[in-house]
Amino acid sequence: MSEIEKKPIKITETVLRDAHQSLIATRMPTEFMLPIVDKMDKVGYHSVECWGGATFDASLRFLKEDPWDRLRKLRDGFKNTKLQMLFRGQNILGYRPYADDVVDYFVQKSISNGIDIIRIFDCLNDLRNLQEAVNATNKFKAQEGRGEAQVALAYTLGDAYTLEYWTGMAKKIEEMGADSICIKDMSGIMGPQEAYNLVSAIKDAEPDMPVVIHTHCTTGLAFMTYMKCVEAGADVLDCAISPMSGGTSQPATETMAYALREMGFQVDLDDKVLIKMADFFKNVRADFLKDGTLDPISMATDTQCLNYQIPGGMLSNLISQLKMMNAIDKLDEALAETPKVRADLG
């Protein structure tokens, strides 16, 4: 342990995007977010993930909100903290590929309305679907002085996904012009030793490239995985404030900060402000539990996710959709079917 480089570890807070996407199918309205923004801005986060992913779709379809208005209000509140979004590569925030000029313009408007870090991914790790978004981010960074291109690799298991595959992808990502790389373990299936080997290999191949780790607690591996990632040289961890952590969400911010400090790492977060944040989101969680938006299923550990490998955000939406169809009793059958479908599709 004494040989581990004790560099500062940075934390990205996910409660305003992936945490509630994974637990409550992205149903947190803007009015639930704004009262706590001032305090969140004082915590000392590396960034706050607050936009992109399913927030665009859910804001329009279910919350009857303008997602651009949400972004501008959050930008007004966060004076000292970088705002981050998840960007589906050539699909932008939709479900089909869009033309290059549309991708370019969406990136421009995202940055001009307040986004600092654009995490860009493709579900099949097809780098062709990432290049235009990276190019656009770098172009508007040069023009506006803001905008970081972070490319995320979608972590999965299979014979093809060797260390050579991942390090080769990392090299290509650097050549694309990305500012950082994220290992995006959407289903929480990356084990501690796999994580250590993977981060070590990427750091050995690309020592100057910041490595961000994203995982979910679905399988129960996340805390151990994060610790091994830090030992291997990871720079940033995605976490969620404790009341909205665990289950299909991310590891708890406060717990990770405590454990990392116990190991001798520097974590520059204000614990007193985190307590106030947690108190606020305890009430938010209570409201969602009371009205049924937050299902206890999403808060539990399910080791079978190692088999069905469904991302946290998809699980919460699957639960929500089955409830809407009065078919929640079919959840286990649907999960059991998923590995068969994956095999059929190769």
Side-chain angles (χ1 to χ4, degrees):
M1 192 68 70
S2 60
E3 298 176 359
I4 300 170
E5 181 188 353
K6 296 298 197 299
K7 63 183 179 182
I9 303 300
K10 301 175 182 178
I11 302 294
T12 290
E13 175 61 57
T14 67
V15 69
L16 300 187
R17 206 286 295 178
D18 198 26
H20 77 95
Q21 179 169 323
S22 297
L23 289 173
I24 57 171
T26 332
R27 297 299 200 271
M28 188 184 294
T30 305
E31 65 184 77
F32 280 42
M33 303 176 182
L34 296 180
I36 197 62
V37 164
D38 181 64
K39 289 184 176 63
M40 289 183 68
D41 195 35
K42 296 179 174 65
V43 171
Y45 290 118
H46 169 66
S47 62
V48 169
E49 189 192 46
C50 64
W51 211 59
T55 62
F56 210 86
D57 180 336
S59 292
L60 293 168
R61 190 185 306 198
F62 301 109
L63 302 177
K64 311 305 178 187
E65 292 185 4
D66 180 347
W68 294 101
D69 184 56
R70 171 183 294 188
L71 175 56
R72 287 187 288 268
K73 288 177 178 177
L74 292 173
R75 180 73 277 170
D76 288 343
F78 282 103
K79 309 294 185 185
N80 308 299
T81 308
K82 291 181 179 180
L83 299 186
Q84 181 172 314
M85 72 174 292
L86 183 65
F87 197 93
R88 295 170 177 157
Q90 208 68 27
N91 288 14
I92 308 180
L93 301 182
Y95 304 98
R96 66 173 180 83
Y98 294 91
D100 285 353
D101 59 339
V102 180
V103 173
D104 192 84
Y105 196 59
F106 201 101
V107 167
Q108 176 193 354
K109 289 302 179 184
S110 298
I111 293 173
S112 63
N113 279 276
I115 290 296
D116 298 286
I117 301 173
I118 300 184
R119 178 179 290 174
I120 307 160
F121 83 106
D122 176 77
C123 62
L124 298 177
N125 292 329
D126 188 336
L127 299 185
R128 296 171 299 177
N129 288 330
L130 307 178
Q131 187 67 69
E132 183 58 33
V134 172
N135 292 345
T137 304
N138 288 334
K139 178 170 69 174
F140 294 112
K141 175 172 62 178
Q143 293 178 4
E144 300 197 19
R146 188 176 73 241
E148 299 176 29
Q150 181 181 109
V151 170
L153 288 174
Y155 184 80
T156 190
L157 302 174
D159 293 339
Y161 301 102
T162 62
L163 284 180
E164 290 74 20
Y165 167 85
W166 296 116
T167 54
M169 293 290 282
K171 180 64 176 177
K172 293 175 183 177
I173 286 170
E174 183 191 37
E175 293 171 351
M176 290 173 68
D179 295 297
S180 58
I181 183 171
C182 173
I183 305 302
K184 184 173 172 58
D185 177 23
M186 306 84 64
S187 305
I189 59 176
M190 182 167 61
Q193 191 60 49
E194 301 157 32
Y196 182 86
N197 295 342
L198 176 53
V199 175
S200 297
I202 291 176
K203 278 293 186 178
D204 287 343
E206 306 296 330
D208 297 326
M209 176 69 77
V211 174
V212 182
I213 308 298
H214 174 95
T215 192
H216 292 248
C217 295
T218 319
T219 61
L221 293 170
F223 284 100
M224 295 178 285
T225 295
Y226 270 0
M227 286 302 189
K228 296 301 288 186
C229 286
V230 168
E231 290 182 13
D235 301 278
V236 185
L237 304 176
D238 282 8
C239 298
I241 195 71
S242 53
M244 298 293 289
S245 71
T248 50
S249 179
Q250 279 74 51
T253 303
E254 307 97 306
T255 307
M256 285 307 309
Y258 178 88
L260 289 169
R261 289 168 181 155
E262 286 283 296
M263 293 172 63
F265 290 93
Q266 179 181 339
V267 182
D268 294 325
L269 300 183
D270 190 324
D271 295 336
K272 293 181 180 178
V273 183
L274 286 174
I275 291 172
K276 295 177 181 178
M277 263 188 73
D279 288 341
F280 175 85
F281 282 106
K282 283 177 185 175
N283 293 325
V284 171
R285 179 183 62 187
D287 289 342
F288 285 124
L289 278 168
K290 185 177 180 179
D291 68 15
T293 303
L294 176 56
D295 193 293
I297 296 173
S298 297
M299 303 168 69
T301 298
D302 185 359
T303 57
Q304 286 307 302
C305 189
L306 290 166
N307 295 323
Y308 56 73
Q309 301 183 35
I310 296 179
M314 289 179 65
L315 275 172
S316 65
N317 277 276
L318 174 60
I319 291 168
S320 175
Q321 290 161 6
L322 288 173
K323 284 183 174 180
M324 292 168 65
M325 298 168 64
N326 294 319
I328 191 62
D329 60 306
K330 300 292 193 295
L331 176 61
D332 288 342
E333 292 180 47
L335 295 178
E337 190 71 18
T338 304
K340 302 175 185 177
V341 175
R342 287 170 60 90
D344 289 344
L345 293 174

